[in-house]
Amino acid sequence: MQASDQIWMNGKFVPWEDAQVHVLTHALHYGTSVFEGVRCYDTELGPAVFRHRDHVDRLFASARAYFMDLPFTADEIQSATLELISRNGLRSCYIRPIAYRGYGSMGLFPLTVDVDVTIACWEWGLYLGEDGKRDGIRGKISSWRRISPNALIPYAKAGGQYLNSILAKVEAHNAGYDEAILLDHLGNVCEGTGENIFVIRDGEIATPPMTSSILEGITRASIIKIAADMGHTVVEREIAADELALADEVFLTGTAAEMVPVREIDDRPVGEGKPGEITKALLEVYEDALHGRDERYTDWLDPVPEGPSGGKADAA
Ligand code: PPE
């Protein structure tokens, strides 16, 4: 990965290489962490974080789901992130805030273990590649089902939950596909390993609802808004697995991946086997929104204050 200069750890800016944890950190053993993936773009307004507060709010919602009290406020996390980007002298980057049960005691009762919070940011290209975004990717319906609300908390973005995504990702990769599409425990279409999914047929844009065990994606919400503003009908409804075979267009959305057309599912072309017209039109407006080129969506951007960047790390 592409290292940057500093990482924010529990209120201090430390050099990248010093941001270490003990091997008996609780989260390393039990997955007791909650995190976010956020992006900062080089926009018309200068470097700006996309839907920053929505991500911070979701971090706190995930933490609540696992009984974690963060020792910082949402405002503190948000302003620490902006300062971190500025100190690292980055104009565009991926941002990873994480809150986790730290070092102190072992065992499955976690409430006695302190919660640590760190924020890192670095330059990270698109998750499914630039060519994936341009030409579309090849998807495989996973034999793994998405974690169900009977066992975990699908709306939370928690570290341990990603073992489910990892199983699906490896299976898809080993079978020669770019990404897995997971069904929920009832067999309805759910999402990718790190992206939400949209399915278009006869002009209707559908996406699975909260009740299909999705992570309620912020990119998903942005695309729903943009599509509605473009006059499309977006329906949040259960999508049967076999609807994928009938779809005219399918695309995935996520912060790391952004918006990615799916050109093939299980070796069957989606529509004409290339990104469709509605997908391409949405992608164009979405790109404009990310880069501050569309006034309707500039409220989604949290500008990084200009200032002397590259401040020294705090003493350990
Ligand atoms: N579902 C899952 C399971 C998921 O992890 C993400 C984000 C989404 C949907 C889309 O949510 P949003 O980013 O708010 O639109 N996945 C993050 C982590 C990916 C990773 O590889 O790490 C991300 O995209 O940053």
Side-chain angles (χ1 to χ4, degrees):
M1 74 191 295
Q2 172 92 43
S4 51
D5 290 341
Q6 294 180 24
I7 287 178
W8 184 91
M9 274 190 108
N10 290 321
K12 285 185 174 164
F13 293 92
V14 304
W16 176 278
E17 54 281 2
D18 293 347
Q20 311 279 357
V21 297
H22 195 277
V23 293
L24 294 179
T25 294
H26 197 271
L28 196 55
H29 297 250
Y30 307 118
T32 42
S33 64
V34 295
F35 66 98
E36 271 303 315
V38 195
R39 274 191 190 274
C40 171
Y41 291 92
D42 196 359
T43 77
E44 301 287 311
L45 321 171
V49 179
F50 188 68
R51 303 199 66 166
H52 198 175
R53 191 52 173 234
D54 296 313
H55 282 283
V56 174
D57 286 347
R58 190 172 63 186
L59 180 73
F60 279 78
S62 300
R64 259 194 309 281
Y66 284 100
F67 308 101
M68 294 168 79
D69 286 325
L70 270 59
F72 298 94
T73 64
D75 285 341
E76 285 168 336
I77 302 286
Q78 197 171 338
S79 60
T81 300
L82 296 174
E83 184 175 348
L84 181 70
I85 297 166
S86 160
R87 280 172 175 251
N88 281 313
L90 294 167
R91 299 196 65 84
S92 67
C93 57
Y94 185 80
I95 305 154
R96 171 56 56 83
I98 180 167
Y100 57 96
R101 299 271 177 198
Y103 169 80
S105 66
M106 276 290 152
L108 291 171
F109 183 74
L111 304 187
T112 53
V113 187
D114 286 346
V115 175
D116 290 322
V117 185
T118 88
I119 309 166
C121 62
W122 67 92
E123 289 178 71
W124 200 19
L126 293 186
Y127 199 46
L128 296 166
E130 287 291 343
D131 45 344
K133 183 169 164 184
R134 191 186 52 238
D135 305 328
I137 57 135
R138 297 178 59 242
K140 174 183 171 27
I141 299 180
S142 185
S143 72
W144 295 99
R145 293 289 174 91
R146 164 80 170 160
I147 48 169
S148 87
N150 304 320
L152 283 165
I153 305 174
Y155 75 77
K157 200 165 165 58
Q161 303 193 165
Y162 277 82
L163 288 173
N164 175 239
S165 293
I166 284 169
L167 287 171
K169 187 80 189 178
V170 170
E171 179 189 67
H173 171 88
N174 287 349
Y177 298 85
D178 302 307
E179 182 57 301
I181 296 168
L182 288 87
L183 308 180
D184 71 4
H185 65 294
L186 301 173
N188 292 311
V189 175
C190 182
E191 59 183 10
T193 61
E195 310 86 21
N196 293 111
I197 190 166
F198 287 76
V199 179
I200 305 176
R201 186 181 175 213
D202 293 337
E204 180 210 62
I205 306 177
T207 191
M210 274 298 277
T211 45
S212 289
S213 302
I214 63 166
L215 179 79
E216 202 173 21
I218 291 163
T219 318
R220 173 184 179 276
S222 307
I223 294 295
I224 289 174
K225 172 81 175 97
I226 288 171
D229 290 348
M230 289 170 73
H232 291 292
T233 314
V234 186
V235 194
E236 295 181 58
R237 64 165 177 85
E238 285 176 359
I239 299 175
D242 60 354
E243 290 187 62
L244 291 173
L246 302 172
D248 301 322
E249 305 182 32
V250 174
F251 62 86
L252 303 173
T253 63
T255 300
E258 296 187 346
M259 185 180 159
V260 186
V262 179
R263 69 178 152 87
E264 218 178 276
I265 297 174
D266 286 350
D267 306 315
R268 227 179 257 117
V270 176
E272 290 171 18
K274 55 181 195 204
E277 292 309 315
I278 297 177
T279 304
K280 284 195 289 189
L282 285 170
L283 181 55
E284 201 178 307
V285 179
Y286 171 64
E287 286 284 319
D288 285 345
L290 292 181
H291 295 94
R293 294 189 295 257
D294 191 323
E295 278 182 4
R296 291 174 294 178
Y297 307 115
T298 45
D299 283 356
W300 285 345
L301 299 172
D302 186 18
V304 178
E306 299 284 349
S309 61
K312 283 221 182 329
D314 301 323

